[in-house]
Amino acid sequence: MSTYSHQPENFNFFNPIGFKFEVDKLPTVNFFCQAATLPGMTLGETIQPTPFRDIPTPGDTVQFEELSIRFVVDEEIRNWLEIKDWIFGLGYPNSTDEYAKLANKNIEIKPKGDRYSDGVLMILTSNKNAQYKVTFQDLWPVTLTGIQLDSSVAEVDYITADATFQYTIYKIERLIGEH
């Protein structure tokens, strides 16, 4: 069998700027999102003991990495505050009123409660068509970077923030092309 018989049909490279990220609870973050990472995963292993040497075998648990995004902070810091309020609502840092405030947002309430939201990462082709839809189920924020203010800079470098999220699972659905 020749190596030339297994050549790819599509010679276009994956375009790292072709994506769109959306989370129901974060409408202003969605618009300003500049980077998103499709999380990796790790399959655990089990050791099978033998008299000669222990043999690693595939485990039965998949561990998912966190979902990470970077976004430009808008002038009114609304998008940063959306994530901050969600984290405060989940962690009750001052009172249970903050959790109630999270629950009263006009967001469709999922069966598991208002603590979670689904997220969607659309991966686009080089022609800007949606090729894959990655759905993150039961997403919630776990970290949000701070905002550094600095009057000593020579030119304006707009502020970005990073956020990471945990989720139950993600599913990838191919929208166009061969499967």
Side-chain angles (χ1 to χ4, degrees), residues 17-36:
I17 63 172
F19 75 95
K20 182 179 175 184
F21 178 72
E22 294 181 356
V23 174
D24 291 339
K25 285 186 180 287
L26 306 173
T28 56
V29 172
N30 299 338
F31 181 80
F32 290 98
C33 187
Q34 287 193 322

Side-chain angles (χ1 to χ4, degrees), residues 122-142:
M122 299 297 279
I123 299 175
L124 310 177
T125 66
S126 56
N127 294 327
K128 304 290 185 209
N129 296 318
Q131 183 170 12
Y132 289 99
K133 177 181 179 183
V134 184
T135 304
F136 296 89
Q137 294 179 343
D138 301 331
L139 190 79
W140 76 93
V142 292

Side-chain angles (χ1 to χ4, degrees), residues 151-170:
S151 64
S152 67
V153 295
E155 50 186 79
V156 176
D157 190 15
Y158 294 103
I159 294 174
T160 61
D162 295 326
T164 57
F165 300 86
Q166 274 294 1
Y167 49 90
T168 306
I169 193 167
Y170 71 83

